[in-house]
C-alpha cells in the first residue's frame, strides 16, 4: 500500500483487515518493528498516571485557560536524550521528542550511523532522537524515565513504523499529518501517498482510542514557517483534523505559527478554534476534544540573543492573548541552529514570564482583531468550499486535487507537488497578505483588500511590490524589523 | 566586463535537509547579480551535486545545510569531486552546519579542513557571497581579477 | 535662600538679581563651583553639533514618530565613565550620566572618598558619576569625548550646583524636579525648599533658553516606581512642567513608569500628552516643545535573566504602543543591582528589537484603553483642580499645601512630608487601582469604580483586600507574575 | 512559648540610600510574625542605628542597602558597635550590597568578614529572615532553641 495512486485514495475509515495486513509490511521495514505489541502498548497507557498523559494535560489546560509550555528537544543517544528531557522537565508542562532528519525520511541506516558516530564523538551528531532505531525497549525506557507527557515531533511523510513503535512505548501525542509533514518536509513524495500513510497513523491512534486510550494528534501548524497567510495554514489544519477524525482520532490540537503582527496572530488563534468547531460539526463530528497550539516565530531569528528574547516575548504575548492551549517555545540561540538545554530553558523561562504577566490581564479586544478574524474566516470558507467540491464526497481526494490545482498552495515549500504560485508579502502593518494569489480561489473583494493593503505599503516605501520585497520580508525579523523596508530608518543610529 | 553566463554555479541543500526558504532566496538574489544558478533544490546528494556540475560545466558548487547534519553530509565531498574528475571546483558551504552553538571560527576551520573553499554562517549577506564567488571564479580561471564593486555589499544580511 | 519657608515660596519667574545673588552662594558650596562660566557654557552649546543636542534629538524623534533608546549608566571615575558611555553609544540614541547617591544629597566629601576608594580598588564603588567633584573641566572632557547628547539623571533635592556645572559643561538635558526629586529621594527635605531649589535650576535653564540654547528638562516620571497610579505621577509631572515653564524652560519631556497592565500603560502614555497640552495651554503657555518618556518597570525584577527579558519586552511594547518619544531601558541584571555595560547593551538590544517590531504595526485601539484614558483624565482633573484651588494663584504654594493635606500622595515614598495615606493595589487585570484613597480628592463614581475593581479581584482570589495583598503585588513581577495572587496556579508545574 | 516583645530589632536603610519600598514591606511582614520592629526608615547612619539599639535594648540591627554603596556605608559597623558597648548585638544586612553583578557567595563572605552575622540577597524570603532572627536571638540569649515552624517559610520571595 506504499504507492497509493489518487484513484485508490479513499477517505473512509481504513478497514481493520486492511490495516492489519499493511501493518505486517510496515513492521518489517526495520528490525525493531518486530517488538511492537499493541496489547502491551494499550496496557502501558492504561497503567500510566494521568500526569504522563497528553490528553489529560490538554483538557486540564483548556479548562483552566492556562497555556502549556513545550520545548523542542532531541539528541541521538538514549541516555543523553533522557537526561535532556529530565533537565528541561522542571521548566515546561509537556515534553517533546524531536526526531532526527534521517528518520523522518525513513533512512534508518543513516540514523544508525549517526547514533554510532555520536557515540564515538561523545556528542550528538544527529538533530534529533531516532526512535525507530532505539526501538520499543529504548522508547519505553525513555517514557518510564520522565514524569511528564511526551509527544513525538518530527516531519515524516511515512511515519507508520515510528507511530507503531512510539505509541506502543507510551508516547501519548503524535505530531504531523499527510499534508503538513509532506509539503514542507519532502521533495518528491506524492501527496496521495503521504495522506494514505497518515490515514494509517490516524487509524492506529483510533485503535488506541477504541481501547479507551486517548492519544493526542497535532497537525503541524506552521508549515514552512515563512510568510504563510493564516488562512492557508488554517485550511491545512482543518483538512488534517477532518482526515484524522475520520480514522477515529478524538483528541486534536490544531496549530498556527507566529506571523509577527499581533492583531493577525491573535485573530488567527481565535479563528482557528471557531473554524475547527464549525467544520468538525459540518462533517458530523461532535465527540472530540479540541485544543490549539501556537508556535513562536519559525523564521530566521536575530543572531543577537537579547534581540531573540524580544521575538520570543512577542510570540508569548500573542499566544496568550490568542488563547492558545499550548505554546511551542523558541530559544535565544535560535539563529545558531539546534539549541542547547540551557538555551531551551532560557526560552521557556522568558516565555513563562510573559505568559504569566499577560494571563493576569484582560481580554484583548480591538476592531482590527475582529476584522482579521472575519477576513481569515471568509478566506478559509472560500478555499474549503473548493476543496470539498473537488473531492466530490472524498475529502482526501479533494486535498490532492486542490494541491494539484494550486487551490491550496504553501509558500516556500520544497515539495514539487506544491504549485508554489501564490506569493505572500507583508502589508504596511506587518500583517501577511497576498501579493499574487496564484490559483487560490478567493472572493474578489478579499483579493481587492489584499491588493490595497500591499499597495499601501508599496506607496509608503516608495517602491512597487515585487519578489525583492518578499525576500526583504523573509529576512526582516532576523535583521531586527518586522517589515522588510528598504533602508529603514534605524531605531538606533 | 564578463557576461552573465560566465559565472555558473550549482545550488542545493544537502542530505535529508528540506529547508527550502533560504534556497529559493539564494537563487533569487544571486541571479540578478549576474550569476547563473542551477538550483537542485532540497535533499540533494553529493553525487547529484557533482552530476549537475559535470553536466553544466559549473565553476562552483554552493552547498546549504540548515538542519545541523552538515558535518555528516559533507564528509568526503572534496574527495568525491576529485574521484569524479573535478579536483579544482570551488566548494562553498553555508548554513547551520553543526549541532549546537559552536564558535563560527571552529566551524569554518572544520569545513576548510574538509576541503571547502569558503564557509558561511546563516546570516551572511548574499551580496558578499556573490562578490566572493565572482572573485574566486576569476582567480581560479587565471583571468585578470575584476574590480569588484563593493558598493552594494553593505546591505544588512 | 536655602531655607525657603512656605510663605516665601512664590511661583513667579525668579528675579534675575535674586538668581545672581543666590548663584554666588551656590557656587561656593564646593570648590569646583568657581569654574562655572555661563557665557563659556552658552558658547559651548552654540558650538556643539546638532547630533549632540537633546532638544534636536527629541524634536526629530517626535517628528518621525520614533522612540529614542536611553540606558542608565554612571561610574565613579572620568575615564571609566567616558569609556562606559562610548561603549553604550552604538546601541542607544541618547546618553545618560547617572549621578551617585552621595552627590544627590550634596555630600561631596563622601563622593570624593568614593572616587578615591574607587581609584584604589580599581573598580567603581559609587553607584554613579559625581559631576560636582569632577567639576567643569571633567564634565567638559566627558561631553567632548562622546558623540551623542548627554542627560544628567540623578535624584537630587538641591541640584543647583550640579546644574550650574553640568549645563555649563555641555550637558543638554537635566532630569528632575522639586517634587519628583524630593518625595521619592529624601527623608527630611521640606517640599517648599526643594521646589525653590528647582525653580533656581529651571531659571538657569531659562537663561540658556534666553540665549537661544535649548536645554531639555525632564521631570522624573516613575516617582517611587511602586504601584503608583498613573493619575498621581501625571499630576506630579504636570505640576513640575508648569513650574518649569514659569521659569523659562521650553523643552519638556514628561515621564511615566511602566505599571505592567498593557492597556493602563498605553492609556497613561496617551493621556499624559493630552493632559500636558491641556494644562500648559490653561496656564497660558503655547511656546514649548513637548515629548514623553516611558520608563521600563522600576520595581523588583526577576533574578532570572530570561524572565527579566520578558519584563523588558513588555515595557518596550507598551512604550511603543503608547507613543513614547523616549524609553529608559532596564537590563537583564536588574535584580542584581547596578548593571554592567554588557547587561545594559543587552537591555538596549532587546528593547530595540521589540520597538522595531511594534513600530511596524498598527495603532493599538481598544475600548479598554479609551476607558483608561478617560479615567486617568478625570482623576487628574479632580486632583489638579484642588491643587490649583489650594494655591490661590500660587501653584508652588498649592503643591506644598496639597502634599501637606495628602491631596497628592505618593505610595511607598521615604519623605516624611508625604502623607502616605493612599494605598494602591492591583485589580484583577493587573491595573493599579486605589484600595484606600487617603485624602486624595476624587469623584464618588471614580472611587466606586476603584472599589468595584478591587472587590472583583478580592472575590476572584477568595480573600479580602488588605495590605498583605499590596505586599504581594509589590513582589509579583519579581516572582514571575503581574498580580500578587495567593498561591497562584503556577504556569509551569 | 515566648511573647511578641521578646524579639526586638532595629530596622533601617543605611547611608544616603532612600529606597523606602523594601523597608516598609520588611516591617509589614516581620511584625505579624511576632517581631517588634523599630523602623528608622531610610538614610540612617551607623550611629543612628546604634543609638536606637541602645535606647530600646534591641536584640538585632537589620541593615538594608539597595543602592550599591553598602560596602562603603557598612565599613566599620561592627567596630562601632563594640566601641559603643554592643559587642554581641546581631547584625543582619541585606539588599543589593555592591556595584555590579557579583556572585552572592563573594558578597556574603565580604560582609561576614566585616562582622555581619547574616547576609541576604534582595530576593530573600522575609519569612526565612524572621525564622532565622528568632533562632539567632534565642541562641545568643542562651535560651533553649525553639522548634521553628518552617511551614510558613515556603512562600516564594
Amino acid at each position: 500500500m506504499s504507492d497509493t495512486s489518487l484513484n485508490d485514495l479513499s477517505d473512509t475509515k481504513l478497514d481493520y483487515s486492511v490495516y492489519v495486513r499493511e501493518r505486517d509490511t510496515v513492521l518489517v521495514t526495520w528490525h525493531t518493528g518486530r517488538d511492537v505489541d499493541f496489547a502491551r502498548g494499550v496496557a502501558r497507557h492504561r497503567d500510566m498516571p494521568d500526569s504522563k498523559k497528553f490528553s489529560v494535560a490538554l483538557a486540564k489546560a483548556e479548562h483552566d485557560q492556562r497555556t502549556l509550555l513545550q520545548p523542542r528537544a532531541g539528541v541521538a543517544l538514549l541516555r543523553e536524550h533522557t537526561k535532556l528531557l529530565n533537565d528541561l522537565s522542571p521548566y515546561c508542562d509537556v515534553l517533546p521528542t524531536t526526531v532526527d532528519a534521517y528518520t523522518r525520511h525513513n533512512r534508518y541506516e543513516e540514523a544508525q550511523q549517526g547514533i554510532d558516530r555520536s557515540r564515538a564523538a561523545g556528542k550528538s551528531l544527529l538533530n534529533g532522537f531516532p526512535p525507530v532505531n532505539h526501538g520499543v525497549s529504548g522508547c519505553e525506557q525513555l517514557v518510564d524515565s520522565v514524569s511528564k507527557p511526551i509527544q513525538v515531533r518530527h516531519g515524516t511523510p511515512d511515519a507508520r513504523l515510528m507511530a507503531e513503535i512510539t505509541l506502543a512505548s507510551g508516547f501519548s501525542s503524535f505530531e504531523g499529518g499527510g499534508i503538513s509533514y509532506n509539503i514542507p518536509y519532502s521533495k518528491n513524495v506524492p501527496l496521495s501517498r503521504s495522506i494514505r500513510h497518515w490515514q494509517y497513523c490516524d487509524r492506529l491512534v483510533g485503535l488506541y482510542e477504541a481501547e479507551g486510550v486517548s492519544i493526542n494528534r497535532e497537525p503541524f501548524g506552521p508549515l514552512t514557517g515563512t510568510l504563510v497567510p493564516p488562512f492557508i495554514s488554517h485550511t491545512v489544519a482543518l483538512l488534517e483534523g477532518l482526515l484524522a477524525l475520520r480514522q477515529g482520532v478524538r483528541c486534536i490540537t490544531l496549530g498556527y505559527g507566529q506571523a509577527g503582527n499581533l492583531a493577525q496572530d491573535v485573530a488567527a488563534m481565535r479563528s482557528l478554534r471557531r473554524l475547527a468547531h464549525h467544520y468538525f460539526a459540518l462533517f458530523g463530528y461532535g465527540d472530540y476534544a479540541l485544543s490549539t497550539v501556537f508556535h513562536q516565530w519559525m523564521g530566521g531569528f536575530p543572531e543577537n540573543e537579547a534581540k531573540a528574547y524580544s521575538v520570543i516575548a512577542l510570540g508569548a504575548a500573542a499566544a496568550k492573548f490568542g488563547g492558545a492551549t499550548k505554546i511551542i517555545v523558541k530559544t535565544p540561540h535560535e539563529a545558531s541552529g539546534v539549541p542547547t538545554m540551557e538555551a531551551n530553558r532560557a526560552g521557556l523561562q522568558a516565555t513563562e514570564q510573559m505568559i504569566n504577566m499577560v494571563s493576569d490581564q484582560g481580554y484583548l479586544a480591538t476592531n482590527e482583531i475582529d476584522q482579521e478574524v472575519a477576513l481569515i474566516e471568509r478566506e478559509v470558507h472560500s478555499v474549503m468550499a473548493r476543496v470539498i467540491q473537488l473531492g466530490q464526497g472524498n475529502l482526501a481526494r479533494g486535498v490532492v486535487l486542490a494541491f494539484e490545482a494550486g487551490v491550496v498552495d504553501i509558500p516556500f515549500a520544497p515539495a514539487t507537488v506544491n504549485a508554489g504560485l501564490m506569493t505572500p508579502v507583508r502589508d504596511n502593518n506587518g500583517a501577511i497578505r497576498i501579493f499574487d494569489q496564484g490559483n487560490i480561489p478567493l472572493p474578489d473583494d478579499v483579493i481587492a483588500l489584499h491588493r490595497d493593503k500591499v499597495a499601501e505599503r508599496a506607496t509608503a516605501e516608495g517602491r512597487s511590490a515585487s519578489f525583492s520585497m518578499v525576500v526583504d520580508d523573509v529576512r526582516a525579523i532576523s535583521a531586527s524589523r518586522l517589515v522588510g523596508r528598504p533602508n529603514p530608518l534605524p531605531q538606533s543610529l | 566586463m564578463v557576461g552573465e553566463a560566465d559565472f555558473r554555479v550549482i545550488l542545493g541543500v544537502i542530505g535529508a535537509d528540506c529547508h527550502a526558504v533560504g534556497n529559493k532566496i539564494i537563487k533569487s538574489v544571486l541571479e540578478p547579480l549576474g550569476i547563473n544558478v542551477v538550483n537542485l533544490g532540497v535533499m540533494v546528494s553529493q553525487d547529484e551535486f557533482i552530476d549537475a556540475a559535470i553536466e553544466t560545466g559549473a565553476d562552483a558548487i554552493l552547498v546549504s545545510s540548515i538542519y545541523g547534519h552538515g558535518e555528516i553530509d559533507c564528509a568526503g565531498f572534496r574527495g568525491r569531486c576529485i574521484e569524479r574528475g573535478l579536483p579544482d571546483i570551488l566548494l562553498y558551504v553555508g548554513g547551520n552546519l553543526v549541532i549546537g552553538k559552536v564558535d563560527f571560527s571552529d566551524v569554518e576551520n572544520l569545513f576548510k579542513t574538509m576541503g571547502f573553499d569558503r564557509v558561511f554562517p546563516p546570516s551572511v549577506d548574499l551580496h558578499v557571497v556573490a562578490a566572493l564567488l565572482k572573485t574566486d571564479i576569476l582567480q581560479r580561471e587565471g583571468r585578470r581579477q575584476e574590480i569588484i564593486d563593493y558598493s552594494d555589499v553593505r546591505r544588512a544580511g
Side-chain angles (χ1 to χ4, degrees), chain A, chain B:
Chain A
M1 214 35 217
S2 61
D3 253 333
T4 311
S5 75
L6 178 56
N7 289 333
D8 299 333
L9 191 64
S10 126
D11 78 333
T12 57
K13 189 168 188 171
L14 220 60
D15 195 79
Y16 184 67
S17 63
V18 172
Y19 162 77
V20 168
R21 276 199 306 278
E22 186 170 332
R23 184 173 189 267
D24 289 340
T25 70
V26 167
L27 296 185
V28 298
T29 51
W30 189 251
H31 66 87
T32 54
R34 78 167 78 96
D35 300 325
V36 172
D37 180 340
F38 178 75
R40 180 184 153 91
V42 167
R44 277 183 61 81
H45 281 276
R46 283 189 184 148
D47 291 346
M48 280 202 306
D50 279 357
S51 58
K52 292 175 76 164
K53 293 177 182 166
F54 236 94
S55 59
V56 174
L58 289 166
K60 195 163 178 325
E62 278 284 298
H63 178 268
D64 298 340
Q65 299 196 353
R66 285 183 62 235
T67 300
L68 304 176
L69 303 182
Q70 184 177 24
R72 290 183 185 80
V75 289
L77 305 178
L78 180 60
R79 195 169 61 181
E80 283 70 17
H81 185 60
T82 306
K83 177 174 182 347
L84 176 59
L85 293 194
N86 278 318
D87 286 348
L88 288 170
S89 189
Y91 305 99
C92 65
D93 300 289
V94 288
L95 289 166
T97 284
T98 304
V99 171
D100 71 288
Y102 293 127
T103 300
R104 296 181 203 173
H105 296 282
N106 312 100
R107 298 186 186 177
Y108 309 123
E109 287 284 4
E110 282 164 278
Q112 192 57 49
Q113 286 171 25
I115 292 173
D116 297 342
R117 294 173 68 161
S118 297
R119 209 164 266 141
K123 63 170 184 173
S124 182
L125 296 176
L126 292 179
N127 63 357
F129 178 82
V132 170
N133 294 69
H134 288 296
V136 173
S137 69
C139 291
E140 282 185 353
Q141 277 182 55
L142 176 65
V143 172
D144 291 343
S145 306
V146 301
S147 58
K148 290 184 176 168
I150 320 188
Q151 179 183 43
V152 192
R153 304 188 65 84
H154 43 126
T156 314
D158 176 5
R160 293 173 297 170
L161 180 57
M162 191 197 302
E164 290 280 4
I165 287 174
T166 53
L167 299 186
S169 307
F171 283 80
S172 55
S173 177
F174 202 76
E175 196 194 34
I179 307 164
S180 64
Y181 268 11
N182 176 344
I183 307 296
Y185 281 104
S186 75
K187 190 172 179 179
N188 292 314
V189 176
L191 192 53
S192 54
R193 190 200 294 172
S194 61
I195 288 176
R196 177 62 180 72
H197 287 162
W198 276 89
Q199 287 176 328
Y200 176 103
C201 295
D202 286 331
R203 185 72 175 88
L204 173 59
V205 170
L207 290 172
Y208 278 99
E209 287 281 354
E211 296 296 324
V213 172
S214 183
I215 304 281
N216 174 245
R217 280 278 295 111
E218 179 184 328
F220 175 63
L223 304 175
T224 55
T226 307
L227 300 180
V228 181
F231 81 92
I232 293 283
S233 54
H234 281 19
T235 300
V236 171
L238 295 167
L239 292 169
E240 291 193 346
L242 289 167
L243 291 170
L245 284 165
R246 184 62 52 101
Q247 300 301 326
V249 169
R250 285 297 171 265
C251 178
I252 295 186
T253 306
L254 296 190
Y256 168 76
Q258 182 183 6
N261 173 284
L262 184 64
Q264 189 173 43
D265 283 334
V266 171
M269 289 307 292
R270 292 180 185 165
S271 62
L272 183 56
R273 194 179 284 272
R274 288 164 49 115
L275 286 162
H277 287 307
H278 172 81
Y279 281 99
F280 292 177
L282 187 70
F283 278 75
Y285 302 104
D287 174 28
Y288 59 86
L290 177 71
S291 46
T292 59
V293 56
F294 182 94
H295 293 250
Q296 283 172 344
W297 180 244
M298 296 289 286
F301 261 68
E303 276 190 277
N304 178 276
E305 291 182 24
K307 294 181 178 183
Y309 273 113
S310 279
V311 180
I312 288 169
L314 182 60
K320 194 69 210 176
F321 280 127
T325 322
K326 188 174 81 170
I327 182 166
I328 311 280
V329 171
K330 284 281 184 177
T331 81
H333 285 188
E334 210 59 41
S336 315
V338 179
T340 61
M341 197 293 286
E342 290 72 20
N344 238 320
R345 183 180 59 202
L348 288 163
Q349 289 171 320
T351 301
E352 181 195 2
Q353 176 79 25
M354 180 59 86
I355 285 189
N356 282 349
M357 291 189 299
V358 169
S359 70
D360 277 335
Q361 307 196 18
Y363 186 81
L364 186 66
T366 72
N367 289 336
E368 194 184 359
I369 293 173
D370 292 345
Q371 285 158 13
E372 292 293 336
V373 166
L375 178 65
I376 293 168
E377 292 187 357
R378 285 198 67 205
E379 291 165 337
V380 167
H381 291 322
S382 176
V383 178
M384 283 294 285
R386 184 71 67 86
V387 177
I388 292 167
Q389 184 192 41
L390 283 167
Q392 293 180 301
N394 177 337
L395 193 67
R397 184 185 163 87
V399 170
V400 176
L401 293 173
F403 270 89
E404 276 179 11
V407 164
V408 183
D409 192 353
I410 298 171
F412 297 98
T416 50
V417 301
N418 185 69
L421 296 174
M422 188 273 280
T423 309
V425 74
R426 291 195 187 276
D427 71 14
N428 208 36
N429 285 338
I432 298 173
R433 305 296 177 196
I434 291 178
F435 167 50
D436 181 339
Q437 75 186 99
N439 294 331
I440 296 180
L442 291 171
D444 288 346
D445 62 319
V446 167
I447 287 297
L449 185 147
H450 283 274
R451 198 175 47 230
D452 291 350
K453 293 272 188 190
V454 174
E456 183 190 3
R457 171 179 171 193
T459 304
E461 295 181 2
R463 59 170 176 173
S464 53
S466 69
F467 191 71
S468 141
M469 190 183 266
V470 181
V471 170
D472 291 342
D473 282 350
V474 170
R475 298 163 159 187
I477 281 192
S478 61
S480 289
R481 305 288 314 188
L482 174 59
V483 179
R485 315 266 188 207
N487 307 313
L489 264 181
Q491 256 299 143
S492 294
L493 300 176
Chain B
M1 190 64 198
V2 289
E4 293 208 356
D6 282 301
F7 305 105
R8 185 181 299 272
V9 304
I10 310 298
L11 174 68
V13 187
I14 199 165
D17 194 340
C18 56
H19 286 87
V21 179
N23 176 265
K24 288 175 197 284
I25 285 176
I26 292 169
K27 184 176 161 73
S28 81
V29 173
L30 295 191
E31 292 215 312
L33 297 174
I35 294 170
N36 190 330
V37 178
V38 178
N39 188 7
L40 305 180
V42 303
M43 299 177 71
V44 182
S45 69
Q46 294 190 4
D47 275 327
E48 286 170 330
F49 275 108
I50 296 167
D51 289 346
I54 292 170
E55 192 177 313
T56 63
D59 305 297
I61 294 175
L62 272 60
V63 178
S64 299
S65 178
I66 309 296
Y67 71 155
H69 289 186
E71 191 175 346
I72 296 180
D73 293 333
C74 293
F77 202 146
R78 175 61 75 189
R80 191 69 188 145
C81 290
I82 295 168
E83 281 172 33
R84 302 276 313 269
L86 296 175
D88 295 327
I89 193 163
L90 276 171
L91 288 182
Y92 278 28
V93 65
N96 288 312
L97 297 172
V98 297
I99 304 281
K101 186 162 190 168
V102 179
D103 261 2
F104 179 70
S105 59
D106 294 339
V107 175
E108 188 174 19
N109 285 338
L110 175 66
F111 279 81
K112 287 206 162 170
T113 309
M114 289 161 68
F116 285 85
D117 297 290
R118 295 200 185 267
V119 187
F120 301 103
S123 58
V124 65
D125 184 334
L126 294 172
H127 293 71
V128 171
V129 175
L132 290 170
L133 251 181
K134 293 179 187 177
T135 316
D136 287 350
I137 291 172
L138 292 174
Q139 277 196 328
R140 192 144 302 197
E141 293 180 4
R143 284 188 261 168
R144 183 178 60 77
Q145 188 182 342
E146 283 205 311
I147 293 153
I148 303 301
D149 178 7
Y150 275 92
S151 64
D152 65 344
V153 161
R154 314 258 290 284
R155 193 171 165 291

